[in-house]
Structures are given as C-alpha cells and as structure tokens.
Amino acid sequence: MSEPLFEKIALVGIGLIGSSLARAVRQNGLAGHIAISTRSADTLRRAEELGLGDTYTTDAAQAVRDADLVIVSVPVGASEAVAKQIAPALKKGAILTDVGSTKTSVIAQMQPHVPQGVHFIPGHPLAGTENSGPDAGFADLFQNRWCIFTPLPGTDPAALEKLSQFWRRCGANIDTMDADHHDMTLAIVSHLPHIIAYNIVGTADDLETVTKSEVIKYSASGFRDFTRLAASDPTMWRDVCLHNKDAILEMLARFSEDLASLQRAIRWGDGEKLFELFTRTRAVRRSIIEAGQEVDAPNFGRQEIAQPVST
Ligand code: NAP
C-alpha cells in the first residue's frame, strides 16, 4: 500500500458521508491516524463499535488538534457552529474542507472563522444514498462519482492539488467551479428532484380517493422510484432547502412553467407535444448511462422480489 497522504485526518460528523470517508481512508491507507468526532455520545459509540477510526471524541476541537486534513460532514445549517468550535484548535497549514450540499451558504458560515494559515477549500461529493448514520456508509460510495470544489480566491494550488489527490484516491473525479454556479447546478440535478419526490409522496399520502394500502400495493408502477428520494434524511434536506433558497426557487419557477405547459398539452390532447417531450427525456437517460452515472440494466438493476401469493 502507498504512503498515507496525511499523517492525521479528523472527521467531524460521522454519518453516511463521514463514515464512508472513514472507510475509504482506511481501505486506501490515506491517513496515519483517523480522529472521529460527532455531536452525540450514541453516534460516537456506534462509530467506535464499527471501528471507523483510531480516536473518538464528542469534542470536535479536540479531534481537529494536530490534524493535517479536517473534513466537516454535518448538515449545512450546522456549519457555522462547527466552524466556531474548531477554529481555535486548527493547525497552521492544515486543510479544512466540508462535504455540504450547498456551497454559498457554507462559505458564508465558515470562512469568517477560519484562522490565517489554514487552507479552507469547500467541497461537495455528488454521492449518497437515502440512508443516514455511521452504519449507512461504505468505502466505495465515491467510486466514479464527482467531487466538486468551489475554491475561494487566493486558494493555495498545492493545497487544492493535495485535496484533489485525496478524493481521487477515494475513487472520485474532480471538478471545480464557483459556489454560485454549484448551487444553481445542484438545484436542478439534486435539490429539485428531491423536492418533487417529497411533494408527490406527500400528495399520495394525503389522498382520500385512493387508499394508502393501494398506493403501497401498486407502487411498482412508478411511485416507488420517488419514494427512495423522499426517504432521504429530513434534517439534511430541510437545511438544503433553507440554505439554497434562491437557486431552488428559481428552478422551481422554471419547473412550474414547464409543468403548466405539460398540463395544457394533456388538456388539449396535444399528443405530438407529449411525444416530442418524452422522446427528448428518454435520450437524457441514455446519456447518463453512457457517462457511467447509472447502470445499463432494466428496472435500475433491481432483483425481482417474489410476488406475494394472492389468497
Ligand atoms: P447523516 O448521516 O445524518 O450524519 C450527520 C452527522 O452530522 C452526524 O455525525 C451527526 O451527529 C452530525 N450532526 C447532525 N446535526 C448536527 C448539528 N446540529 N451540529 C453538529 N453535528 C451535527 O448526514 P450525511 O448524509 O452524512 O450528510 C452530511 C453532510 O453531507 C450534509 O451537509 C449533506 O448536505 C452532505 N451530503 C449528503 C449526501 C447524502 O446523500 N446524504 C450527499 C452529499 C453530501 P450525531 O448523530 O452525533 O447527532
């Protein structure tokens, strides 16, 4: 195994993303020492039972002391409180990064607290599942997924390269862009799909003409594909909505206009328009498969489950 990239890595937050990082760091020998910190004693105990690190503490400042790389993996709304807590303990020359799903807000929350001499490089791995907590993570989560950096003006190129190397060794591909562009892009590729899923599942749950048991029983007709997104962590997604408000509202406005146009096409029996849209969208899926971001297997590669025997 090659030399560790960092002598000590501190992971602040050990949920799905933090614990996947811990496993990837261990598997790829990227650190001499992994320090783990999380807010609650219960999560910390679970991380320790899973053997995710070398040292464990609920005191984030203690974890980051002497660390060469600090990765903050907490809901975006907690970024400022965490930055305040760890700032006095950060080592000069350390790289500080995060994995938050929104970037402009995280930068505004964290940057003012970052001491001189610490390299703050905001990041966001575009990889996840609907599960949370330390049990949910796995070492391959970042394989062939993108990690986007939104470096601030004056970022040290050597620090950026070292962090890029870290993520590449976790399996990710690297892109950089400015924070506003990140937030607008993610609003359409991630935030809106989740909001639409939360909305459609909520609507089905409120229906009175179709019973809840029917919604569940017949869900394989399409509904269940929304339920995966709508099962995502409520705290994380509340924070994403609150902290990428402008970009999300702009994309929602575009979406609502297009939905109204689709509604009109259905109302007026405009089959040509419907067919043209559905053909265009089918091609988008083919491009995603070609880009290696989805499996080329029918039904998302699901194994068929045995059907319940009707009585
Ligand atoms: P998670 O599994 O729910 O874990 C959250 C972690 O943050 C836990 O260690 C939790 O500590 C801690 N935490 C929660 N609230 C906190 C607070 N108010 N102050 C300090 N610590 C707090 O979440 P995750 O999915 O790993 O997400 C972490 C970050 O990654 C988020 O910013 C999210 O936007 C981003 N992200 C998520 C995904 C995804 O698909 N899940 C993908 C890319 C990026 P305790 O359990 O000890 O309370």
Side-chain angles (χ1 to χ4, degrees):
M1 194 174 285
S2 46
E3 280 291 288
L5 263 182
F6 295 95
E7 232 162 80
K8 177 178 174 182
I9 294 182
L11 299 173
V12 179
I14 197 72
L16 168 70
I17 301 295
S19 75
S20 295
L21 279 168
R23 290 169 169 104
V25 167
R26 185 80 90 201
Q27 183 172 293
N28 300 300
L30 301 181
H33 181 103
I34 306 171
I36 287 177
S37 158
T38 190
R39 178 180 59 161
S40 74
D42 282 353
T43 304
L44 192 71
R45 195 175 319 112
R46 190 62 194 136
E48 194 163 2
E49 281 165 7
L50 292 167
L52 296 175
D54 299 301
T55 49
Y56 303 87
T57 174
T58 50
D59 180 357
Q62 189 185 317
V64 308
R65 204 158 282 129
D66 301 322
D68 312 288
L69 173 65
V70 174
I71 308 179
V72 175
S73 310
V74 301
V76 291
S79 306
E80 180 164 29
V82 169
K84 266 190 190 163
Q85 203 188 345
I86 62 175
L90 290 169
K91 180 168 102 170
K92 208 172 163 60
I95 297 174
L96 168 66
T97 188
D98 76 301
V99 298
S101 306
T102 72
K103 295 277 53 92
T104 312
S105 155
V106 167
I107 293 169
Q109 292 180 66
M110 292 183 73
Q111 194 189 11
H113 305 285
V114 179
Q116 279 282 331
V118 169
H119 305 287
F120 174 44
I121 306 175
H124 177 204
L126 307 195
T129 72
E130 65 280 26
N131 302 319
S132 22
D135 285 279
F138 52 98
D140 288 345
L141 178 63
F142 309 108
Q143 268 320 317
N144 201 26
R145 294 287 173 258
W146 288 97
C147 182
I148 299 177
F149 297 128
T150 58
L152 300 161
T155 297
D156 176 14
L160 182 59
E161 178 46 36
K162 191 150 188 204
L163 187 61
S164 304
Q165 221 181 322
F166 169 83
W167 276 103
R168 279 196 290 264
R169 282 177 62 180
C170 289
N173 308 314
I174 307 299
D175 242 344
T176 55
M177 60 182 70
D178 69 49
D180 283 343
H181 187 68
H182 167 278
D183 288 357
M184 198 55 89
T185 306
L186 268 291
I188 188 67
V189 300
S190 170
H191 307 170
L192 217 61
H194 279 82
I195 290 165
I196 292 165
Y198 281 123
N199 194 59
I200 193 172
V201 176
T203 302
D205 194 48
D206 289 340
L207 284 180
E208 279 160 13
T209 43
V210 179
T211 66
K212 249 177 227 175
S213 63
E214 282 173 312
V215 169
I216 308 280
K217 184 171 165 189
Y218 303 127
S219 62
S221 339
F223 181 73
R224 73 174 180 194
D225 294 332
F226 288 98
T227 61
R228 186 186 73 76
L229 293 181
S232 300
D233 189 70
T235 306
M236 169 184 160
W237 283 97
R238 175 203 63 197
D239 280 12
V240 168
C241 291
L242 297 178
H243 290 269
N244 196 23
K245 178 174 157 180
D246 294 344
I248 289 174
L249 287 177
E250 186 167 333
M251 288 304 168
L252 266 177
R254 291 281 297 264
F255 172 82
S256 305
E257 268 180 39
D258 290 344
L259 186 62
S261 154
L262 185 55
Q263 200 173 351
R264 204 172 312 114
I266 296 169
R267 185 182 310 286
W268 295 106
D270 188 347
E272 208 175 308
K273 184 168 180 153
L274 296 173
F275 191 81
E276 186 273 324
L277 173 66
F278 301 163
T279 306
R280 212 152 39 88
T281 53
R282 191 176 225 192
V284 173
R285 181 159 173 86
R286 274 198 297 270
S287 311
I288 292 171
I289 292 167
E290 277 158 26
Q293 298 298 306
E294 175 61 293
V295 288
D296 187 11
N299 201 15
F300 303 101
R302 284 185 184 109
Q303 302 289 328
E304 265 324 311
I305 323 160
Q307 291 301 308
V309 182
S310 52
T311 48

